Amino acid sequence: MALERIAQHQPIGVSALAKLLDDDKSAVQRAIMTLADAGWIRAASGVPTRWELTGHIFAVAHMVHGTS
């Protein structure tokens, strides 16, 4: 769900994402770091830090459809 919300509202900050998910900010921060470490999202340029999708989502989508 976090990945979908980031995609819908990118770039988005932790506080705004926590509000959208109706979840604790620290839990959302942990989820964001997990997604970033796995290459799904990255910090967008600018301050404060906001998050956006990487191209990893497209690579996975192509694998699903057998067009790798």
Side-chain angles (χ1 to χ4, degrees):
M1 184 90 131
L3 188 63
E4 292 170 351
R5 292 289 187 248
I6 293 168
Q8 292 170 337
H9 301 279
Q10 64 183 320
I12 188 168
V14 175
S15 295
L17 185 58
K19 187 177 269 189
L20 282 172
L21 295 171
D22 192 28
D23 204 349
D24 179 68
K25 187 177 171 182
S26 62
V28 171
Q29 178 66 39
R30 287 190 302 273
I32 282 174
M33 295 316 300
T34 299
L35 290 168
D37 289 346
W40 290 97
I41 63 172
R42 66 176 168 237
S45 60
V47 175
T49 302
R50 300 198 187 285
W51 298 92
E52 63 188 7
L53 295 183
T54 67
H56 187 66
I57 193 86
F58 299 113
V60 171
H62 287 286
M63 285 187 280
V64 170
H65 294 291
T67 59
S68 58

